[in-house]
Structure formats: C-alpha cells, structure tokens
Amino acid sequence: MATLYVTDLDGTLLTPESAVSPTSVKIINELIGQGLQFTVATARSPYTALPVLSELDLRLPMAFINGVFIYDPVSGTELARNLIRPATAVTAVDVLLRHGLRPLVFTIDADGHHRIHHLGGQNASEQHFIAVRLARGDQRFKLVTEFEQALSEEILTVIAIDTPDRIDPVLAELPEDLYAHLGPDRGVPGYAWLELCHPLANKADAVRFIRDHVAATRLVCFGDNANDLPMFAIADESYAVANATEAALAAAGGTVGPNDADGVARHLQGLFEAAEADLA
C-alpha cells in the first residue's frame, strides 16, 4: 500500500532552534530518494516555512497555515487557497475587539506581499511572538490603529493571543463559517492562541486533500500540539514526539523521540530498515 507520511514542523520536526537538523536532513532526503512519500503540514505560512525547509528534497504538496495553502514545491504553484470571506473576517475582528482582544490579521495585499496587521503587543505572549519574528528579519508586520485596510485585502487567518479566560467568552459569538482552533502558547506558558481560518483550513482536510492528490492509501502523521489532533484523527497511524503536549500524547497512537533528538527522522529510518529486513 502507498503510505503518505506527514509531519508538523515546530516542536515536531524542527529543533528548539527552529531548524531541521543536519541529521534529519540527511536521513529524510535519503529516504525520499528510496521512495518515501513525505511532506509537511504546518501552522507556519509559506513565508516562514519554506526557508527552514530549503535543504529537504520535498516533492509532494505541503499544507501551510494549517491548510490555508496547499503548495506544490515542484511546480511552485498553489493547489488550493482557502481564504476567509471578507464579511466573515469583519464580524470576527469586531467580536474580538468588543471583548478587548487585539487581533492579528494575516493578509496578502494588492501587490502580493504577506502582511500581519496588528495593534502592538501588550501581553507577554503577544510581545514574544512579535519580537522573535522581528529579530529574525520578518518584514510582514504592519502596526495599525484600525483594520479597515487589512479587511480589504485577501485574509488568510485572524489570530488572538491572550489568556484562556479572556478568549473563551468570544467563542460562542464567532461566525459559523470559520474554523476556530484554540491551543496553548508553548513558548509563554499561561497564554493561548485562538486561530480563525476558512472551514477547510485545518490539518484533517488539508492532509486528506494531499493524500488523495498523491493517491496514497495509508496515512501516518507526526505532531506535538492541539492543531495536530485533527490529522491524528484521520490517520492510520499517529505519533506524538516525546516533548508533545499532554493532549497530543493522549490522542496519538504512539510516541517517537523528541524534536531535539531527531525523533521523526529516526522513527522513519527505523520503519524503512525494518521493511528492508522483512524483504531480505
């Protein structure tokens, strides 16, 4: 049976320094050369994901922003683009602002540039998110006082970062034609991320699209956090890295080594070595 292997990036394939280790690059590229059908499904945008994946010989479609984009690295084209409807985004932003939250609106402007419209970081988690990316040279951030311009652009996702008790009250007021994902901020404990996307922009639908596109008959997934649970639910086999959240560890069918010890790559290597031994 043709098996598709899909991994999350941050906290899973990537090291704590947000890179694919040389060991993982070597192992995965060798396995792809031997026929491994391997790809990624990440909450990252193409803007931040593609640079960290540059050394991997990825040939299959990839899911970015949990499925906002399905991207073909061979042709350099998008196979799917799942954007939030403008009217839906207007309502969502209004709900967040009325509850005292500060949206971050991810867009593509009229010139094709990725933008993150924001009101400035106030809590520790917002400040960490913005500061880390600015320190890496991220050019997307645009400080604003209102969101009229943002809401006239192509809207990828809307995010609010705050404590769970401040986020929970907004959930019942959000438009129905949104996929709402709430998960912990693993970098700043005590805070959570509310990510709002098109209904198809979730890892279950995204990975299902890729599986069908490549005509795979089995699905094996690796992850570490709450946004990986939808793809765990549709996988034939699911694995959490040892450093995963309790929710991910409980939902997965098994556990592999941590992200700082090439857990995903070494597990894949073990699978292929076992398969070769069976054929010998």
Side-chain angles (χ1 to χ4, degrees), residues 4 22 24 54 64 74 85 99 130 142 148 159 181 187 193 197 215 223 244:
L4 173 66
S24 286
S54 61
F64 296 131
V74 176
R85 292 175 56 248
H99 282 269
I130 296 169
K142 183 176 182 179
E148 182 177 357
I159 292 177
H181 165 71
W193 284 47
C197 294

Side-chain angles (χ1 to χ4, degrees), residues 143-211:
L143 185 63
V144 299
T145 57
E146 47 77 30
F147 292 100
E148 182 177 357
Q149 177 62 43
L151 295 170
S152 71
E153 299 173 355
E154 292 187 321
I155 303 160
L156 311 181
T157 183
V158 178
I159 292 177
I161 307 173
D162 215 308
T163 55
D165 62 296
R166 285 177 53 81
I167 293 176
D168 285 343
V170 313
L171 299 179
E173 298 182 31
L174 293 170
E176 293 184 359
D177 57 335
L178 281 175
Y179 182 87
H181 165 71
L182 180 62
D185 181 347
R186 301 193 68 192
V188 185
Y191 287 89
W193 284 47
L194 174 65
E195 301 177 48
L196 307 176
C197 294
H198 183 281
L200 292 178
N202 65 84
K203 290 192 180 183
D205 283 305
V207 169
R208 188 182 290 114
F209 179 99
I210 297 170
R211 181 196 63 194

Side-chain angles (χ1 to χ4, degrees), residues 5-262:
Y5 296 87
V6 182
T7 185
D8 170 56
L9 289 183
D10 291 278
T12 304
L13 180 66
L14 301 188
T15 67
E17 295 74 36
S18 298
V20 185
S21 77
T23 297
S24 286
V25 168
K26 182 176 184 295
I27 291 172
I28 292 171
N29 283 348
E30 288 178 352
L31 294 177
I32 290 173
Q34 296 172 33
L36 176 73
Q37 294 199 82
F38 177 83
T39 192
V40 303
T42 177
R44 285 184 177 237
S45 75
Y47 183 92
T48 60
L50 289 173
V52 302
L53 295 170
S54 61
E55 293 186 55
L56 287 176
D57 184 21
L58 296 176
R59 307 171 186 178
L60 302 185
M62 300 180 276
F64 296 131
I65 317 182
N66 296 322
V68 171
F69 298 110
I70 308 296
Y71 173 78
D72 179 3
V74 176
S75 65
T77 60
E78 294 171 5
L79 302 179
R81 176 182 280 204
N82 297 307
L83 305 178
I84 300 176
R85 292 175 56 248
T88 300
V90 169
T91 301
V93 167
D94 179 65
V95 169
L96 295 175
L97 290 172
R98 284 194 287 103
H99 282 269
L101 300 177
R102 293 165 298 280
L104 294 97
V105 182
F106 290 61
T107 71
I108 297 177
D109 67 20
D111 296 319
H113 299 131
H114 285 252
R115 298 294 183 203
I116 303 175
H117 304 258
H118 68 107
L119 299 172
Q122 294 187 25
N123 65 51
S125 184
E126 292 171 328
Q127 292 169 358
H128 178 262
F129 170 73
I130 296 169
V132 166
R133 284 152 184 81
L134 289 177
R136 294 173 181 164
D138 196 323
Q139 301 295 312
R140 293 174 296 169
F141 287 89
K142 183 176 182 179
L143 185 63
V144 299
T145 57
E146 47 77 30
F147 292 100
E148 182 177 357
Q149 177 62 43
L151 295 170
S152 71
E153 299 173 355
E154 292 187 321
I155 303 160
L156 311 181
T157 183
V158 178
I159 292 177
I161 307 173
D162 215 308
T163 55
D165 62 296
R166 285 177 53 81
I167 293 176
D168 285 343
V170 313
L171 299 179
E173 298 182 31
L174 293 170
E176 293 184 359
D177 57 335
L178 281 175
Y179 182 87
H181 165 71
L182 180 62
D185 181 347
R186 301 193 68 192
V188 185
Y191 287 89
W193 284 47
L194 174 65
E195 301 177 48
L196 307 176
C197 294
H198 183 281
L200 292 178
N202 65 84
K203 290 192 180 183
D205 283 305
V207 169
R208 188 182 290 114
F209 179 99
I210 297 170
R211 181 196 63 194
D212 294 345
H213 182 82
V214 302
T217 52
R218 292 186 69 254
L219 177 64
V220 178
C221 296
F222 302 87
D224 78 306
N225 210 339
N227 66 329
D228 298 313
L229 303 191
M231 70 175 179
F232 281 7
I234 67 165
D236 295 284
E237 294 180 25
S238 58
Y239 297 93
V241 286
N243 55 284
T245 63
E246 290 184 7
L249 288 166
T255 305
V256 300
N259 69 321
D260 61 359
D262 304 292

